[in-house]
Amino acid sequence: MLEQKDIVNEMKVIVFRLQEEEYGVDVHQVKSIERMQHITRVPRTPDFVKGVINLRGVVTPIIDLRSRFELEEFPVTDSTRIIIVVVGDVEVGLIVDSANDVIDIPLNMIEPPPEIVGGVEAVYLQGVAKLENRLLILLNLDKVLNPEELKQLEKMAR
Amino acid sequence: MEMSQYLDMFIEEAKEHLQEINQNLLLLENDPNETGVINEVFRSAHTLKGMSATMGFEDMATLTHEMENVLDLIRNQKLLINDHMMNLLFQCVDSLEGMVVSLSSGGDGKMDVTQLVHQLKSILSDEPVSPVKKASSLPNIENSFQPIDLSFDQFEITVMNQSMQSGHKIYYINVELREDCILKAARAYMVFDSIENSGEIIKSFPSVEDIENEKFDRSFKLVVITKKEKAELEQMINQISEITKAEVISIDPNQYQKDAEIQETINIGDTDARKSDKSSNHNEKKVIGTKTIRVDIERLDELMNLFSELVIDRGRLEQLSREIGHAELLETVEHMSRISSDLQNLILTMRMVSVEQVFNRFPRMVRDLAKELNKKINLEIFGAETELDRTVIDEIGDPLVHILRNAIDHGIEHPEERKVKGKREEGNIQLKAYHSGNHVFIEIKDDGNGIDKNKVLQKGLEKGLITEKNAHLLDDKQVYDLLFMPGFSTAEKVSDVSGRGVGLDVVKNKIESLGGFVSIKSEKGVGSTFLIQLPLTLSIISAMLVQVEDEKYAIPLSSIIETAIFKKEEIMYAHKQQVIDFRGRVVPLVSLQNVFDIPKSNTNQEDEIPVLIVRKGEKMAGLVVGSFIGQQEIVLKSLGKYLTNIFAISGATILGDGQVALIIDCNALIK
């Protein structure tokens, strides 16, 4: 960590909201932010998989992050956004309540995740950053998009 | 230097060169006098050596370097080709291929090549057997050594004769370095340098390159054209330190010309016509080569994606222009539509690759297998230029290998057996590819033993695939289809070649997954033919679009038998399963709404039910849909890496309005 600090001591994150809380994902993992559009349902998938969209010719799966984290359902509003994230060779869109901020977080302000934060299971978290009066939850997308888990959930859905 | 960006290019090119070497070695094996071919092999090996050395793949460079040395001797007719040598060279190619495969799968391409290098070296150290040895018997005993390994081509002889006429002399020089000489290459360079001040070196043994790399023992030999006298030359060379001996003898190139002429005449005759034929072929190839560029398939996919965006906008424009009804606008939009469909065709054809890519590796495989099984087999290839979609090409190799192995192992008989039957000793396998309509056909035909129907039936009975009762009712096609059933093999014993636990069922599955079919024709004692039918491209298919409530789905036409509309009262129940009577057959109904949990949007019940009759092999099912939208060409898209193995969904497509429609996999719906 010390060596890294000399080179990069800040992390740029995209900030989005989910049920009154602020989350962040590393800007390197975000491909684009899209407005809400028609989603084609894919049958026999877990509830949080809302379906697929046509993202400039590429069929892209869409996950409702609220239902992924087992939060309350929320109606689509003008500020609803789809954040297209890329993790490895997996490209997925995440439905969030709103997304409107890009900030730099000094790495030394990131703390390990507490056991339980706002109902979201700790495994999905990379850390928590406290910035003045804001508390930012940094997501571990590798865990959120773990295909193995998706398979298990699919089996349960059947 | 960071090399990773060149790695892909390296792998692609290395594969091509290896393919080239393989092919040419096969040619060489059939006709060892083919000097043009050996030059090709040498060139490919040389390029490979350079490439791999640049990239830092030492093992590959070492092996190709040793190969090059052997090939060089063959090329200069100092080594005669024999079986052992060919096998060794083939082994080297295999090892090189292994290294390339390792690299392409993310490995470091390292391999222990010491054994092979050692074997190659032992070939080199063998006493060179060569027709040129005759030169040693020529009267040239003016010195203590003889230029035994001299041979000149016609060009060199002409040059030397002309130089002699203009008062130059030709010398053959043997230079020996002191045993403790440290910088051999540097000394050699000094010798070269001083000679070149007063004459021209036209040949050196070993090659200049090897000398520069210190790849020689203590002595090297030169052929020099100069005006200087013998003694002058000797003195000049002896002035350079660390040189023990410099012997100079004058030679008459015409003495060596005879040898060259003899060799020429050997080559002239029946091979000559073929030779010129081949060289013109090579030329043709090269011309084509310069006109093409390599494009990453992903870039083409990207282009295709961007283009489908355009198509969607085109649809929207067409609609708008119709609504507005402005004549000039209509005309422009129409023109644009035409151009864009031409463009679409063009992009599609860019994905087409000739099937040669796959066929190329078969001659080698057939050779090896035939040797292993002690059979004589001639492989004929037709229509290698036939083009197929890149994705199909990538997938079709394995099934073809399997069928070919089958033909060689089970089909073609041993030479003695063939003789007894009055056939030619050499078995024949034809591999044909051709276009027909919207399909490409690949045919593998052998003149072997054919398939024993009774044996197949017996095996089918044993495995319980058929019953005694219906065994005699099966027609030929149905019997042969048994061969494609899982776990079916007629081989009495599991041989090393086939019977590796994968049967023809795997072949069938693969081909069907590509949207193709495979069938067998066979006559006992005469031979068998496997016929594979493949779609031209996988990226665009014809499909029926249907609507169920608010959702649209696409069903590939290839699995639809026909569309039909049934009345509610025509539906019957068989053990709680809805069935219909379709031309005398009881066909089960499958409701898309139920299978896919499609939410109901309107409650009004229709009297008539649209049904798609679909099939999976011989089985049929009726797919109950909401309504038919119509037939359409659709561009296949994958659902991506995240959503894999979705039940009964094989992919997606983008409709004219920009929305995604899922493609139904009927095979999964029929049990």
Side-chain angles (χ1 to χ4, degrees):
Chain A
M1 213 52 190
L2 270 173
E3 287 155 35
Q4 224 181 350
K5 218 171 168 181
D6 297 333
I7 312 157
V8 195
N9 49 18
E10 275 182 341
M11 177 182 171
K12 210 181 254 309
V13 295
I14 304 272
V15 179
F16 61 85
R17 294 188 80 87
L18 271 188
Q19 195 173 343
E20 305 308 313
E21 285 193 63
E22 282 191 307
Y23 292 81
V25 282
D26 191 343
V27 76
H28 296 295
Q29 294 184 306
V30 176
K31 193 179 165 200
S32 64
I33 299 174
E34 308 285 329
R35 287 184 173 275
M36 200 57 186
Q37 52 176 290
H38 176 87
I39 298 176
T40 302
R41 194 181 64 93
V42 180
R44 298 213 182 186
T45 47
D47 274 347
F48 61 81
V49 176
K50 283 294 146 191
V52 288
I53 60 163
N54 164 22
L55 184 74
R56 284 172 289 278
V58 179
V59 176
T60 310
I62 301 299
I63 289 175
D64 186 345
L65 215 49
R66 275 197 176 234
S67 60
R68 181 74 177 89
F69 293 157
E70 288 160 358
L71 306 174
E72 273 168 50
E73 290 262 341
F74 189 67
V76 172
T77 66
D78 260 1
S79 57
T80 304
R81 292 288 179 276
I82 300 175
I83 301 181
I84 309 292
V85 296
V86 182
V87 178
D89 52 2
V90 176
E91 202 175 311
V92 171
L94 306 172
I95 302 179
V96 300
D97 294 357
S98 67
N100 37 26
D101 212 353
V102 182
I103 55 168
D104 291 319
I105 306 174
L107 284 182
N108 55 15
M109 299 195 98
I110 300 175
E111 291 166 30
E115 278 306 298
I116 296 288
V117 177
V120 177
E121 280 180 68
V123 296
Y124 301 137
L125 305 185
Q126 192 183 327
V128 180
K130 193 156 173 1
L131 305 155
E132 292 159 23
N133 53 354
R134 297 165 80 174
L135 188 69
L136 206 61
I137 305 162
L138 298 173
L139 281 186
N140 183 348
L141 287 179
D142 290 300
K143 286 277 162 28
V144 176
L145 300 180
N146 182 3
E148 285 306 312
E149 197 185 357
L150 179 75
K151 269 179 208 152
Q152 280 167 13
L153 286 163
E154 260 171 63
K155 275 182 200 143
M156 278 159 58
R158 283 196 193 146
Chain B
M1 187 161 56
E2 179 54 50
M3 288 292 183
S4 60
Q5 51 175 322
Y6 303 114
L7 188 61
D8 283 346
M9 219 155 68
F10 172 81
I11 290 169
E12 275 296 306
E13 259 181 59
K15 277 184 187 164
E16 259 172 45
H17 282 298
L18 286 174
Q19 185 63 53
E20 191 94 339
I21 296 178
N22 237 331
Q23 245 172 315
N24 286 325
L25 281 180
L26 282 172
L27 283 178
L28 195 67
E29 195 177 33
N30 290 332
D31 188 358
N33 290 325
E34 204 52 81
T35 45
V37 171
I38 189 74
N39 277 331
E40 289 287 317
V41 178
F42 180 81
R43 229 168 291 159
S44 292
H46 182 73
T47 317
L48 256 182
K49 180 182 88 173
M51 281 162 60
S52 43
T54 318
M55 295 290 288
F57 303 136
E58 294 301 333
D59 292 338
M60 202 183 268
T62 319
L63 187 55
T64 38
H65 178 76
E66 284 310 323
M67 281 173 76
E68 206 187 353
N69 286 344
V70 172
L71 290 166
D72 192 43
L73 287 183
I74 301 176
R75 184 169 71 149
N76 292 321
Q77 290 167 344
K78 280 176 221 157
L79 262 182
L80 285 180
I81 293 166
N82 57 33
D83 251 19
H84 166 68
M85 198 189 295
M86 286 314 288
N87 285 338
L88 185 57
L89 285 173
F90 276 126
Q91 268 177 39
C92 293
V93 176
D94 285 348
S95 299
L96 290 170
E97 255 162 13
M99 289 184 229
V100 174
V101 167
S102 142
L103 285 171
S104 63
S105 56
D108 55 3
K110 284 203 167 78
M111 196 184 265
D112 186 14
V113 292
T114 44
Q115 186 67 27
L116 282 171
V117 167
H118 178 75
Q119 286 186 45
L120 286 169
K121 278 206 169 122
S122 72
I123 287 186
L124 287 178
S125 61
D126 279 350
E127 190 67 10
V129 209
S130 101
V132 195
K133 224 177 174 180
K134 273 180 266 163
S136 61
S137 60
L138 288 167
N140 225 333
I141 318 153
E142 131 182 46
N143 238 325
S144 57
F145 78 104
Q146 292 160 356
I148 50 160
D149 42 5
L150 268 187
S151 79
F152 299 116
D153 60 27
Q154 200 57 50
F155 174 74
E156 286 163 335
I157 287 165
T158 318
V159 168
M160 286 186 280
N161 274 333
Q162 276 170 0
S163 322
M164 275 165 78
Q165 276 157 19
S166 57
H168 289 79
K169 295 182 186 68
I170 317 286
Y171 293 115
Y172 180 79
I173 306 174
N174 181 29
V175 183
E176 262 176 46
L177 298 175
R178 249 169 45 195
E179 222 162 305
D180 57 350
C181 175
I182 302 166
L183 294 165
K184 291 195 290 183
R187 293 300 163 207
Y189 172 77
M190 287 168 77
V191 173
F192 273 61
D193 198 43
S194 66
I195 294 174
E196 270 167 353
N197 280 335
S198 55
E200 201 184 340
I201 299 169
I202 59 164
K203 240 186 162 127
S204 81
F205 310 95
S207 67
V208 178
E209 197 187 331
D210 282 348
I211 293 178
E212 277 173 4
N213 292 327
E214 289 200 4
K215 296 237 160 74
F216 64 104
D217 200 23
R218 273 179 51 219
S219 69
F220 58 92
K221 298 165 182 71
L222 305 166
V223 176
V224 177
I225 303 177
T226 179
K227 277 195 167 164
K228 288 233 155 74
E229 289 302 321
K230 204 177 112 181
E232 270 182 277
L233 268 180
E234 256 172 34
Q235 197 201 345
M236 220 168 70
I237 298 168
N238 278 324
Q239 272 175 359
I240 301 163
S241 57
E242 289 191 319
I243 284 179
T244 49
K245 197 161 75 174
E247 288 169 301
V248 180
I249 53 168
S250 69
I251 52 167
D252 176 8
N254 289 314
Q255 283 179 340
Y256 302 95
Q257 186 185 17
K258 274 185 201 154
D259 272 335
E261 259 171 8
I262 291 164
Q263 278 160 31
E264 279 294 298
T265 44
I266 294 169
N267 285 338
I268 295 171
D270 64 334
T271 56
D272 207 35
R274 227 183 311 159
K275 209 165 142 194
S276 59
D277 219 308
K278 272 206 186 108
S279 60
S280 67
N281 266 347
H282 281 304
N283 287 343
E284 244 170 76
K285 240 190 198 166
K286 258 161 213 153
V287 174
I288 296 166
T290 54
K291 277 188 188 167
T292 56
I293 54 165
R294 230 190 277 278
V295 183
D296 194 340
I297 189 97
E298 272 171 29
R299 285 200 189 167
L300 278 185
D301 282 344
E302 228 167 90
L303 186 65
M304 194 72 193
N305 282 341
L306 286 174
F307 190 77
S308 32
E309 283 291 289
L310 257 187
V311 172
I312 292 159
D313 288 344
R314 180 184 76 187
R316 182 90 189 108
L317 262 181
E318 278 170 345
Q319 197 186 337
L320 276 175
S321 67
R322 267 197 305 274
E323 276 167 21
I324 294 164
H326 190 283
E328 273 179 45
L329 180 64
L330 272 172
E331 215 171 280
T332 317
V333 170
E334 212 169 274
H335 186 235
M336 200 192 85
S337 308
R338 261 207 311 276
I339 290 181
S340 60
S341 45
D342 285 353
L343 202 56
Q344 188 174 8
N345 278 334
L346 207 69
I347 297 173
L348 278 181
T349 51
M350 275 200 248
R351 295 178 51 102
M352 306 294 274
V353 194
S354 80
V355 72
E356 195 181 356
Q357 277 201 359
V358 185
F359 283 9
N360 269 345
R361 62 189 218 222
F362 294 147
R364 170 70 201 286
M365 189 194 92
V366 172
R367 168 203 179 265
D368 287 0
L369 265 184
K371 282 217 158 164
E372 194 180 318
L373 297 168
N374 284 323
K375 293 185 179 180
K376 285 185 181 169
I377 289 164
N378 177 37
L379 177 71
E380 289 180 291
I381 293 179
F382 302 96
E385 71 287 344
T386 312
E387 287 188 326
L388 260 168
D389 190 278
R390 176 67 201 238
T391 40
V392 184
I393 292 269
D394 288 346
E395 300 286 317
I396 195 64
D398 290 344
L400 286 180
V401 166
H402 200 91
I403 296 175
L404 274 172
R405 279 173 171 275
N406 232 321
I408 298 164
D409 196 18
H410 303 318
I412 305 275
E413 314 90 331
H414 280 281
E416 312 85 57
E417 206 181 326
R418 291 179 66 89
K419 245 202 224 154
V420 172
K421 285 185 182 169
K423 291 181 180 178
R424 282 186 16 182
E425 273 189 38
E426 194 181 52
N428 199 48
I429 298 180
Q430 287 186 349
L431 185 59
K432 260 188 225 173
Y434 51 90
H435 280 287
S436 177
N438 248 342
H439 289 95
V440 168
F441 291 85
I442 298 178
E443 211 179 284
I444 299 120
K445 186 177 182 179
D446 68 68
D447 66 347
N449 209 6
I451 297 166
D452 191 337
K453 256 177 74 177
N454 291 328
K455 228 187 217 170
V456 176
L457 279 176
Q458 220 180 323
K459 195 94 179 185
L461 285 170
E462 268 172 43
K463 302 243 166 192
L465 298 170
I466 44 170
T467 59
E468 293 272 7
K469 232 200 285 175
N470 60 12
H472 64 280
L473 291 173
L474 297 176
D475 60 22
D476 283 10
K477 189 185 168 298
Q478 284 166 321
V479 174
Y480 297 142
D481 277 349
L482 285 176
L483 293 171
F484 291 117
M485 303 283 263
F488 197 97
S489 171
T490 47
E492 267 132 37
K493 53 175 191 221
V494 173
S495 70
D496 191 31
V497 178
S498 41
R500 287 183 177 163
V502 270
L504 281 173
D505 56 317
V506 179
V507 171
K508 188 184 164 126
N509 281 344
K510 184 100 225 177
I511 289 169
E512 282 183 351
S513 75
L514 294 172
F517 298 101
V518 55
S519 62
I520 309 176
K521 274 187 286 181
S522 180
E523 199 174 325
K524 194 166 180 288
V526 179
S528 323
T529 306
F530 280 73
L531 186 67
I532 300 170
Q533 179 188 334
L534 291 166
L536 267 187
T537 168
L538 282 186
S539 50
I540 292 196
I541 58 166
S542 292
M544 173 64 100
L545 289 184
V546 298
Q547 183 143 13
V548 187
E549 304 297 340
D550 288 338
E551 297 183 1
K552 288 172 186 165
Y553 290 91
I555 298 156
L557 275 197
S558 57
S559 51
I560 299 176
I561 299 175
E562 64 179 77
T563 58
I565 290 182
F566 284 91
K567 291 219 165 58
K568 261 240 162 92
E569 52 267 31
E570 286 178 273
I571 297 176
M572 298 172 290
Y573 286 87
H575 200 69
K576 286 184 188 165
Q577 164 73 54
Q578 289 192 322
V579 293
I580 44 166
D581 177 2
F582 176 72
R583 307 214 170 124
R585 268 183 82 160
V586 176
V587 174
L589 282 183
V590 179
S591 159
L592 269 195
Q593 181 149 23
N594 292 343
V595 173
F596 289 160
D597 301 320
I598 299 170
K600 271 195 161 53
S601 61
N602 47 0
T603 45
N604 54 325
Q605 297 272 323
E606 304 267 339
D607 266 0
E608 290 179 325
I609 304 162
V611 173
L612 275 175
I613 311 290
V614 295
R615 64 147 183 233
K616 174 196 183 186
E618 300 296 305
K619 289 177 194 157
M620 291 204 276
L623 224 52
V624 180
V625 300
S627 61
F628 304 125
I629 298 172
Q631 190 183 325
Q632 202 176 310
E633 302 266 292
I634 59 170
V635 178
L636 274 185
K637 305 252 174 187
S638 108
L639 283 176
K641 287 261 163 65
Y642 186 64
L643 296 177
T644 51
N645 297 323
I646 306 286
F647 175 74
I649 300 292
S650 59
T653 187
I654 295 167
L655 300 176
D657 59 4
Q659 291 188 7
V660 180
L662 301 176
I663 300 169
I664 295 176
D665 175 12
C666 293
N667 287 339
L669 288 178
I670 305 172
K671 274 168 198 132

